[in-house]
């Protein structure tokens, strides 16, 4: 994977023509303001759409990991049958969801719609920010960063899906079935459930941006492939710590499931960093 391939959401001809024009500080602020307004408009659009269909979204998406017929639990049961490990099958989730405030369900519907609006508008929001940044880059920098919106979006949604289908159900299964006494019933507030689900999915979406972050750091000379190879063992420790933070449960299986893809992304980041460093050295030789 490289950010110097596959152009995606490239800026338009009007922006290309204005590259060489000098803009004042207030002009930059005005341009940024309109980019942010359009980005906010996209978030509001998806937020309203989600709010209109909030009941279907709750039943089919948000509350799905709280039910034993969720896709992940069914796959675990099939895996358990395949490897003769019935313990993998999730047969019950011992908890119920409650709303203890008068405005609780309305507030959670509004909050959930806002989160969904932000997630689905993310590609457009990043594109608007990218359009503001691109004119200030050098031609060589624009060329090497071409396709940035595509890769950032791909990594973000990969992380979100991983958090939703892997991390969240594992964490929910562990936390709701953990009991210090059988006389204590698990009755969780809907806000607590939504907070857990949103935190895990969005945290994974952000964590999956590691290759992009390494590309940028290599580009500005802060980090390089040799550094990453030298401190690979230290990185593994950091990844395990991050996995422990992302997964609120002390379940080792959940933490390993999070740490493994992060380590793969770390190795991919070394490859990306090496390619970028090689390209920079080639450009420096040509400049001499």
């Amino acid at each position: 994977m490289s950010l110097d391939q596959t152009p995606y959401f490239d800026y338009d001809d009007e922006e290309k023509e204005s590259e060489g024009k000098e803009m004042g500080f207030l002009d930059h602020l005005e341009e940024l303001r309109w980019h942010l307004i359009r980005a906010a408009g996209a978030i509001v659009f998806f937020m309203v759409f989600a709010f209109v269909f909030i009941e279907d979204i709750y039943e089919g998406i948000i509350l799905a990991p709280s039910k034993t017929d969720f896709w992940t639990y069914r796959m675990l049961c099939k895996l358990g049958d395949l490897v003769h490990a019935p313990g993998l099958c999730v047969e019950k989730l011992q908890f119920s969801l409650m709303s203890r405030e008068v405005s609780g369900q309305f507030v959670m519907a509004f909050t959930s719609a806002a989160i969904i609006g932000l997630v689905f508008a993310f590609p457009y929001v990043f594109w608007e920010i990218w359009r503001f940044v691109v004119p200030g880059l050098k031609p060589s920098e624009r060329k090497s960063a071409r396709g940035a919106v595509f890769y950032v979006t791909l990594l973000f949604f990969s992380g979100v899906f991983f958090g939703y289908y892997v991390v969240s159900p594992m964490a929910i299964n562990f936390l709701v079935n953990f009991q210090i006494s059988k006389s204590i019933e698990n009755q969780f507030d809907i806000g607590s459930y939504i907070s857990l689900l949103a935190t895990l999915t969005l945290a994974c979406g952000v964590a999956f941006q590691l290759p992009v972050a390494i590309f940028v750091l290599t580009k500005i000379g802060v980090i390089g492939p040799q550094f990453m190879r030298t401190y690979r063992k230290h990185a593994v420790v950091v990844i395990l710590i991050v996995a422990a933070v992302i997964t609120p449960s002390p379940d080792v299986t959940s933490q390993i499931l999070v740490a493994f893809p992060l380590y793969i992304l770390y190795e991919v980041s070394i490859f990306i960093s090496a390619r970028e460093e090689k390209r920079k050295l080639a450009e420096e030789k040509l400049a001499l």
Side-chain angles (χ1 to χ4, degrees):
M1 183 178 63
S2 172
L3 296 185
D4 59 358
Q5 300 174 350
T6 315
Y8 188 80
F9 285 146
D10 204 358
Y11 49 91
D12 53 29
D13 294 336
E14 183 179 350
E15 287 177 314
K16 292 180 180 178
E17 294 176 359
S18 63
E19 285 175 8
K21 298 180 180 179
E22 292 291 334
M23 295 179 63
F25 178 71
L26 293 179
D27 294 327
H28 279 293
L29 284 181
E30 179 65 15
E31 184 178 357
L32 176 61
R33 185 173 74 91
W34 281 107
H35 282 296
L36 294 178
I37 288 175
R38 287 191 291 268
I43 295 175
V44 171
F45 171 81
F46 283 105
M47 177 181 171
V48 172
F49 182 84
F51 192 82
V52 171
F53 297 97
I54 197 64
E55 291 185 13
D56 295 328
I57 291 173
Y58 257 79
E59 287 298 324
I61 299 177
I62 296 177
L63 296 180
S66 68
K67 303 173 183 177
T68 55
D69 61 351
F70 185 54
W71 181 85
T72 304
Y73 302 139
R74 288 189 280 110
M75 293 302 103
L76 284 174
C77 284
K78 290 183 179 180
L79 178 62
D81 293 337
L82 185 65
V83 299
H84 303 290
L88 289 176
C89 190
V90 179
E91 298 179 348
K92 59 180 179 179
L93 296 170
Q94 303 182 101
F95 78 107
S96 61
L97 294 175
M98 304 181 68
S99 179
R100 294 183 173 86
E101 299 180 5
V102 175
S103 60
Q105 294 199 45
F106 175 79
V107 171
M108 291 318 304
F110 184 85
T111 303
S112 301
I115 295 173
I116 293 171
L118 178 61
V119 170
F120 280 94
F122 176 82
Y124 184 80
V125 171
F126 184 78
W127 180 54
E128 284 291 348
I129 297 174
W130 184 245
R131 289 178 63 198
F132 176 75
V133 173
V134 161
L137 301 178
K138 297 177 182 178
S140 60
E141 293 173 335
R142 289 198 298 269
K143 183 179 179 181
S144 64
R146 186 172 295 170
V149 176
F150 171 78
Y151 289 115
V152 168
T153 301
L154 176 64
L155 289 170
F156 176 75
F157 280 110
S158 297
V160 167
F161 278 106
F162 180 78
Y164 178 75
Y165 281 105
V166 179
V167 182
S168 294
M170 291 297 223
I172 290 172
N173 176 46
F174 176 84
L175 292 173
V176 303
N177 287 322
F178 178 82
Q179 285 185 306
I180 56 177
S181 174
K182 293 184 179 181
S183 62
I184 302 176
E185 295 183 3
N186 288 329
Q187 297 180 345
F188 306 127
D189 187 80
I190 183 63
S192 176
Y193 174 82
I194 298 298
S195 177
L196 175 67
L197 185 63
T199 299
L200 293 177
T201 53
L202 294 179
C204 288
V206 173
F208 270 51
Q209 298 300 318
L210 178 62
V212 175
I214 294 299
F215 172 81
V216 174
L217 292 175
T218 303
K219 183 71 179 176
I220 62 180
V222 173
I223 202 172
Q226 188 57 44
F227 176 87
M228 297 180 67
R229 294 189 186 102
T230 302
Y231 291 95
R232 182 184 270 113
K233 293 181 180 179
H234 301 79
V236 171
V237 176
V238 173
I239 288 173
L240 290 173
I241 294 174
V242 171
V245 172
I246 292 178
T247 54
S249 65
D251 182 20
V252 177
T253 303
S254 301
Q255 294 175 6
I256 292 177
L257 284 173
V258 175
F260 181 73
L262 290 180
Y263 178 75
I264 297 299
L265 289 174
Y266 183 82
E267 293 296 334
V268 172
S269 299
I270 294 177
F271 173 75
I272 292 174
S273 180
R275 286 200 59 177
E276 178 59 20
E277 187 176 73
K278 183 178 180 181
R279 190 193 62 79
K280 286 174 62 179
L281 291 174
E283 287 184 352
E284 291 175 0
K285 289 181 180 180
L286 290 175
L288 294 178

